[in-house]
Amino acid sequence: MKIEKYQEICKIYDQILINQSAPEIVANQYLHPIKPHPESIKNYNLPRFFKIYLPLRFLLIEIIRILQSIFVKKNNFNNNFKSEVLFVSHLTNTKQLSEDDDAYFGGLPNQLFDQGYKSSIALINAINVKNHKPSNVWRRSKVQRIVLNSTLTFLSEISLCVAQIKSKKQLNYIIKNLKIDTLITKAALIYHFSSGTFAALRIAIQIENIVKKTNAKYIITTYEGQVWECLVYYYARKANPNIKCFGYQHSAVFEHQNLIRRTLTSNYIPDVILTSGSIAKNLFKQRLLNIDKVFCLGSSRHLPPSFSSCEVNCCLVIPEGFITECLVLFKISLNYAKEHQNQKFIWRLHPLLSFDNLIKTSSIFNNLPNNIYLSKGDLDIDIRNCNSVLYRGSSAVVVAINAGLKPIYYQSSLNEFNIDPIYQFQEGKSIVKNLNELRVALSKDVDQVSRQSLQDFAQDFYMPFNIDNLLKEMIV
């Protein structure tokens, strides 16, 4: 798919969303192409077989969810707990259960508590941890945690299904009324019952109940353009019309990302956007269409600048949390490692993935050469043992260049989308398309001036937390 086609799809689906504010329609995940990424775009070019298979698959998943809802247990939630600030974050790793700082908001909830604002965190459960068993660390914390369920109650699940069935007729009417190409919109009707669509609604409905019980005055979510974010703002305002909604851009903003150009109705967007650094802040201010307030909050990912003293030819390979992206980067580095025994590679994974599971999906891990290492350690340790970093869409590259590593972006084909999280910056960076270009990039020296420029960019990408900017907006 070319960028022009992606932009056309975004424009068409935004037309539907602007013309209809019913949450059941806004929840349709197909209407929200987040960014032009190979993993995201493949759903917009489905073969005919999938258009028959997917409705059956979605139906089966929903039947399973309804059956699971019969046995659903209540959230680990203290009904008497009141909090002015509700954070919506993510549980992506079991390590988080033993940490008081949040993986996305860091120590911000505790800092707000110290400023007199009681805070709680609702966690979207990506690892299926038992939500009725909070860890000892969380029990002792002054910040209440609520792990969201993957299903609602039995009656709520039935109600959800009925509402989606009714709203499909409405969606079909809008498509016909707008005279939109049916080839583009047919899949949207299929995805109206997708597991992702229902999951977004479940998240938002649970947040609505938490807002009611805690009397929250402020809600702060991560902000990437995900469909559940739009719904959370809508349902939070439904519970409390005066609630103030903040969207926190915690990671990279990609080139052509639809997030910073879309024009949804006001019920589905935050009142204020908080960014992780000045790089994202400037992007939002330049391109954002309908949100006036954009402030830099900073990030828990900010680290003081440092330079890796590693003198060994070792390259850190950091794919995103998609199996396909892992294999793309692992294959080219494996082919290079076989031909150049003096070059070492450290393969590491996104927290959502594990080598144990990945090994089962690909033969690439059979008989790895001695110069490839599978990392299960901390990112900062891997960085200290490397002098370069091979990446595609992972924002961990920012941490790597902050430590002085030489960045090498792999473009797997000439006509693919740019998914480089540091696409704005070119100095000291190599873009490679094959093994020969990778050889040149790995052997190329990056001068001190370029390394310093890369590090300065990293410092602006993730800046230290500045709670004052948030407090000012909360006081207003």
Side-chain angles (χ1 to χ4, degrees), residues 268-368:
Y268 293 98
I269 59 175
D271 300 299
V272 181
I273 288 180
L274 306 168
T275 69
S276 57
S278 60
I279 301 293
K281 176 187 172 183
N282 293 336
L283 278 174
F284 276 106
K285 280 188 169 290
Q286 290 166 11
R287 303 181 190 177
L288 205 62
L289 299 177
N290 57 350
I291 302 176
D292 295 326
K293 294 186 176 182
V294 182
F295 299 100
C296 178
L297 176 65
S299 173
S300 60
R301 297 184 182 184
H302 171 81
L303 294 170
S306 63
F307 280 106
S308 171
S309 58
C310 177
E311 297 181 359
V312 179
N313 290 327
C314 190
C315 180
L316 179 60
V317 184
I318 47 170
E320 295 172 272
F322 304 112
I323 292 175
T324 52
E325 285 297 306
C326 291
L327 297 180
V328 167
L329 285 177
F330 291 168
K331 281 178 182 177
I332 187 172
S333 54
L334 173 60
N335 290 335
Y336 191 91
K338 287 178 178 178
E339 295 180 7
H340 303 85
Q341 290 294 317
N342 63 329
Q343 175 66 53
K344 296 179 180 179
F345 290 93
I346 295 177
W347 291 358
R348 69 172 291 116
L349 296 175
H350 188 278
L352 283 174
L353 300 177
S354 71
F355 281 114
D356 292 337
N357 291 330
L358 205 58
I359 287 169
K360 298 174 185 177
T361 66
S362 175
S363 60
I364 195 174
F365 296 93
N366 297 340
N367 302 317
L368 289 176

